[in-house]
Structure formats: structure tokens, C-alpha cells
Amino acid sequence: TRKLCEVVRTFCRTLERERRIDLLAVMRQEARRLRNSFSAANFEVLSAFTSALERLFTALSMDIGTINGSTLKTISHAMDFLVQAASSNSGHEEMERTPIRMLAVDDDPVCLRTLTMLASNTKVLDVVASDGVETALRELKTGDFDLIFSDILMPGMNGFEFVAELRKEPKYHATPVVFVTALSDFETRSRSVLSGGCDLIAKPFTAGEVLVK
């Protein structure tokens, strides 16, 4: 885990294309080794997590142009999480709560289809897709979700206003919310935090990044 973290830190500081390709190859190899080690130790969730990392590194190596600030942040946070989870038993019970039930709110059918297909190909994620805020609010009243993915720019009520309504519900007062948006300016990131969001992932995203997130 420590070796993978060191390579990732170097990768995040590197801008040269060929060097990044070389580092991604090493990252992919180390993630695979970790996956096999966790699997052998019967740490199934950590094995699935490092498998998702390997998938992300593979996708990035195939298209270096998809790497952006959001991607680097996701990888960096993943390393922090992996170190903490691998060095302590305290989070294992919480991590075993799979599949994660996610509500995806977006007026873009392509985005929703990508998330739904991702869920169908993995055992760790269960996605309920909603093409608008009104539908999403109805789903929240009748369902029980562990995670919310929400677009920001939507007709009618936007993502920030949606999360403000979400936080009024006691059972969703602390539910993690990840904004999914093509906007990446400082003001958007600031508003995403102030409105109750926990994180932000940039469009276009890869399936691997969503799975790791």
C-alpha cells in the first residue's frame, strides 16, 4: 500500500505524458498485487476496492486525455482511504455494507445510462436513476439511500437547491452527496460544499472513477 501511495504521489505531480503512462503501468501492477493480497486474506471489500482502482488506472492509461483535477482528487482520496482501511479493523464492518444503494439525479440520459450500466456490472453498487429533482424527491421519501449523485445544472430546481431540500429530511441529514457536473470553476466547487455536498466529480467521467468514488 505504501509503495502504491508513493507512485501515486509522483503521478499527481507529473505533467509529462509519457512519464504518466509509465507510472500508470506501475500503479496498475501494484493495485493488482494488492487486490490479490487482500483476496488471499479474505478482505473481500478491500479486494473489490483495489480491483476498482486497477480498472480506473487501466482506463486512464488508455486515454491520458481524460485525466483532470477531479480524477487526481479521486485517486488521492482513494489512497488516503486505502491506507486507513488497510491498517485498521475499525472500518471493515462499515465497508461490508454492500451493495451501496445510490440515487443518481441527472437530466442527461447518457449519464444515467452509464451509471445504471456500471451498477449492473458490479455487486457493490445498486443505482436508482432519476431524470429530475421532483422524481428524485419522491424516491427519497419512499426509498432508503446510502449515497446521492446529483447533477448541478438541471431544469427547474438545480442541484444545489435539491440538496438543500434533501438536508431537510432527518434520515438524509448526513448522507454523502457527490455533485456530477461539467462545471469545475472555483465558485462551483465552493457552492457545492456550502450547499451540503461532500465531493464533486467532473464530466465526462469514467466508470472506473465513479466506482472508486
Side-chain angles (χ1 to χ4, degrees):
T1 304
R2 189 180 302 114
K3 181 176 180 180
L4 178 57
C5 288
E6 290 173 357
V7 180
V8 166
R9 279 195 292 269
T10 302
F11 174 78
C12 290
R13 294 193 299 265
T14 301
L15 298 178
E16 198 266 318
R17 177 185 174 86
E18 294 303 317
R19 177 60 174 154
R20 275 188 164 180
I21 292 175
D22 291 341
L23 289 169
L24 279 167
V26 177
M27 289 157 61
R28 193 165 64 246
Q29 181 182 46
E30 293 303 321
R32 186 180 303 117
R33 287 179 177 174
L34 278 174
R35 181 198 67 195
N36 293 337
S37 295
F38 288 136
S39 179
N42 293 321
F43 290 154
E44 293 184 6
V45 178
L46 284 175
S47 176
F49 182 70
T50 45
S51 178
L53 276 174
E54 182 185 357
R55 177 175 175 172
L56 175 57
F57 297 155
T58 300
L60 294 178
S61 65
M62 294 173 64
D63 189 358
I64 292 291
T66 59
I67 298 173
N68 54 40
S70 172
T71 312
L72 295 176
K73 183 179 179 183
T74 297
I75 294 173
S76 179
H77 284 180
M79 290 301 99
D80 292 340
F81 169 79
L82 185 59
V83 168
Q84 182 178 3
S87 61
S88 170
N89 291 323
S90 60
H92 288 180
E93 288 186 8
E94 184 70 18
M95 289 170 61
E96 291 291 347
R97 292 176 54 192
T98 55
I100 296 169
R101 187 163 167 79
M102 181 175 84
L103 177 64
V105 189
D106 201 317
D107 62 326
D108 180 357
V110 176
C111 180
L112 290 181
R113 188 160 56 248
T114 300
L115 293 173
T116 303
M117 288 177 61
L118 175 63
S120 68
N121 293 327
T122 176
K123 296 179 180 180
V124 300
L125 193 63
D126 180 18
V127 173
V128 173
S130 176
D131 61 2
V133 172
E134 290 185 6
T135 306
L137 290 173
R138 289 196 297 270
E139 292 284 357
L140 289 169
K141 290 183 181 297
T142 58
D144 189 12
F145 298 95
D146 305 302
L147 174 67
I148 313 292
F149 263 45
S150 176
D151 190 16
I152 293 178
L153 297 179
M154 294 182 285
M157 188 181 296
N158 65 35
F160 298 135
E161 295 166 334
F162 164 61
V163 174
E165 290 298 313
L166 168 79
R167 293 306 187 205
K168 293 178 183 178
E169 296 288 335
K171 69 176 180 177
Y172 295 118
H173 180 70
T175 301
V177 174
V178 177
F179 284 114
V180 188
T181 179
L183 303 173
S184 59
D185 57 276
F186 178 77
E187 181 181 356
T188 299
R189 291 184 177 276
S190 298
R191 286 191 66 189
S192 70
V193 174
L194 293 173
S195 66
C198 304
D199 210 338
L200 186 147
I201 188 169
K203 293 181 180 180
F205 54 78
T206 66
E209 183 178 2
V210 173
L211 194 57
V212 169
K213 184 76 75 175

